[in-house]
Amino acid sequence: MDAAKPGKPAKPDWHSYLNRRMLICVFLGFSSGLPLFILLSLVQAWLAKSGLNVKALGLFALVMFPYTWKFLWAPLMDRYSFGPLGRRRGWMAATQALLFLGIGAIGMLDPHTQVPAIAAMAAVIAFLSASQDIVIDAYRREILPDIEQGLGGAVHVNAYKVAGMVPGALSLILADRMPWQPVFWITAAFMLPGLLCTLVIKEPRVYGAPPKTMREAVVLPFSEFIARGGWRNAAMVLGFIFLYKLGDSMATALATKFYIDLGFSMTQIGAVAKTVGFWASIAGGIFGGAWMIQLGINRALWIFGAVQALAILGFAWLAHAGADLPLLAGVIGFEAFGVGLGTAAFVSYIATTTDPRYTATQYALFTSLAAVPRTFVNSAVGYIVAETGWFLFFILCFVLALPGMLMLTRVAPWKEQP
């Protein structure tokens, strides 16, 4: 057997998926994804069925502003410990317990008379969810060696997608058979496995001394990022992070409303569209994680991003064809597979772009920027759809996916591998 070249670490094999670190990524990825999918799918369906119009539903995306601004309070999580569990686990346990209560409580409000209160509660859930994401992302970056970041990112993305099955399929099916209040409490209970995981795992290794003051916690992560390649390179990286998933994010912002408008029932959406999308996204994430071992992150961003962009055109086809159930399954499956690929590469890119000394703040900055389309840009989606119709809207989303791909020549050259 040939020896590995000196100075060049051996590439991981499939056995890396079976270690304890990857199992932790499964539980924490699920816990990270569940609140977001509740806001995007379950709350959207609940309000749509109560009669809220498409413009108001689009504006509801604004309640998720914490995903965009979470880097503002991320330094607190780098600087301070919360409770006896430690710096990472303490913050995780607190946010997970509060999310369980908040998700259950929102379903007790009346969507016909308490829309402002629902919006406020949704914003609280988004704040807690964004805070949980800060510490989970930091924890995952700190427990995984660099050689496992790609695999760990794929596992996290898959678990994140699995979480979407609960509010996106199970909860919708239950909503056709029982009142909304117990549906929300049942959905909230799926936060508990992540909380139990947090209680039994260990604190990660500390890379260097934690910030001693809030000034250090705020200033050092940003100064390191800028010093690494200069202002121009920093702006290029941030621009790419904003644009890479812009088209896909817009295309799926009102997906549940789109399916309802085409004439599909809640059970069809839950049992067919969401189920097919679930398995396809899992396949995309697994395939993407495995192929990234050979491709490297740069080439994966090119190939997977192209598939992700092309998949948007499937929605335009469905909008033109109408309520065709087999076509719905095919379009959703291809789009979810492409997004599974693209997200696995994107998460891995973000992880390797952070400095382990300032994980929480830098990771929060990058993922906050990636959330801008989902929060502010997507808030205008309802107005765009009202003016253009669904078909032209999806064509626009495809066009908006191209600028991020063009930036790959600078931020992730095909011939260069990290």
Side-chain angles (χ1 to χ4, degrees):
M1 180 181 293
D2 295 333
K5 293 182 180 180
K8 190 173 183 178
K11 291 183 177 180
D13 56 27
W14 279 101
H15 293 93
S16 297
Y17 277 112
L18 305 178
N19 64 37
R20 187 171 182 270
R21 292 184 295 274
M22 296 300 165
L23 185 61
I24 292 172
C25 289
V26 169
F27 279 93
L28 296 184
F30 184 93
S31 184
S32 181
L34 184 66
L36 175 62
F37 284 111
I38 288 171
L39 293 173
L40 291 178
S41 183
L42 184 60
V43 171
Q44 184 183 130
W46 180 40
L47 295 175
K49 293 297 286 186
S50 72
L52 210 62
N53 63 49
V54 67
K55 292 182 179 180
L57 282 174
L59 286 173
F60 228 80
L62 289 174
V63 304
M64 292 189 288
F65 72 93
Y67 289 103
T68 304
W69 297 103
K70 62 185 178 181
F71 67 91
L72 293 177
W73 63 92
L76 292 171
M77 297 180 170
D78 269 338
R79 170 66 181 90
Y80 298 107
S81 295
F82 187 89
L85 295 178
R87 188 170 59 144
R88 302 305 185 204
R89 294 168 62 231
W91 286 107
M92 280 195 286
T95 54
Q96 289 162 346
L98 290 172
L99 279 166
F100 165 71
L101 297 174
I103 293 165
I106 194 173
M108 301 177 71
L109 299 173
D110 187 342
H112 295 98
T113 62
Q114 296 179 293
V115 172
I118 291 172
M121 182 61 74
V124 170
I125 292 171
F127 173 79
L128 293 170
S129 177
S131 301
Q132 180 194 215
D133 287 353
I134 293 170
V135 68
I136 285 179
D137 289 339
Y139 186 92
R140 187 180 72 254
R141 177 68 175 98
E142 291 166 358
I143 66 169
L144 295 177
D146 285 346
I147 202 169
E148 290 185 359
Q149 287 296 332
L151 297 175
V155 170
H156 176 85
V157 168
N158 278 337
Y160 200 98
K161 291 287 186 179
V162 170
M165 269 294 285
V166 177
L170 174 63
S171 300
L172 293 183
I173 294 171
L174 291 176
D176 270 347
R177 292 161 174 78
M178 64 174 64
W180 284 101
Q181 287 188 8
V183 170
F184 273 93
W185 279 111
I186 291 170
T187 307
F190 282 87
M191 287 298 305
L192 299 180
L195 177 58
L196 292 175
C197 175
T198 298
L199 296 177
V200 301
I201 58 180
K202 297 179 180 179
E203 276 288 284
R205 171 189 171 189
V206 176
Y207 290 85
K212 296 181 177 62
T213 65
M214 276 304 299
R215 183 181 183 280
E216 287 187 1
V218 172
V219 173
L220 293 181
F222 295 97
S223 61
E224 186 280 331
F225 173 58
I226 294 170
R228 199 186 308 167
W231 281 99
R232 180 174 296 182
N233 180 73
M236 184 68 65
V237 170
L238 295 176
F240 168 73
I241 289 173
F242 172 80
L243 291 170
Y244 187 68
K245 293 185 69 64
L246 174 62
D248 166 68
S249 178
M250 286 184 62
T252 56
L254 292 177
T256 302
K257 172 64 174 173
F258 171 55
Y259 306 146
I260 292 172
D261 283 355
L262 287 181
F264 295 106
S265 70
M266 297 289 285
T267 297
Q268 286 176 320
I269 296 170
V272 180
K274 300 294 185 179
T275 303
V276 170
F278 164 73
W279 288 111
S281 65
I282 292 297
I286 293 175
F287 182 74
W291 200 10
M292 261 195 295
I293 299 172
Q294 301 300 322
L295 284 175
I297 294 175
N298 284 17
R299 293 181 180 179
L301 286 168
W302 283 82
I303 296 173
F304 300 169
V307 175
Q308 177 182 265
L310 289 172
I312 298 173
L313 295 177
F315 284 110
W317 182 13
L318 182 62
H320 178 72
D324 184 321
L325 196 59
L327 179 59
L328 174 69
V331 169
I332 292 299
F334 181 61
E335 189 272 341
F337 182 80
V339 171
L341 292 175
T343 303
F346 190 54
V347 168
S348 301
Y349 172 79
I350 289 177
T352 56
T353 304
T354 61
D355 186 308
R357 294 173 295 174
Y358 316 114
T359 311
T361 302
Q362 287 188 348
Y363 214 119
L365 171 65
F366 300 148
T367 53
S368 292
L369 191 61
V372 169
R374 189 174 64 224
T375 305
F376 292 104
V377 178
N378 287 3
S379 66
V381 163
Y383 288 88
I384 297 172
V385 171
E387 294 297 325
T388 65
W390 288 109
F391 177 80
L392 290 179
F393 167 70
F394 291 125
I395 297 298
L396 174 64
C397 291
F398 171 75
V399 173
L400 292 175
L402 301 180
M405 292 295 299
L406 294 176
M407 295 184 72
L408 286 171
T409 58
R410 295 291 300 276
V411 300
W414 177 268
K415 293 184 179 180
E416 295 180 15
Q417 294 304 314

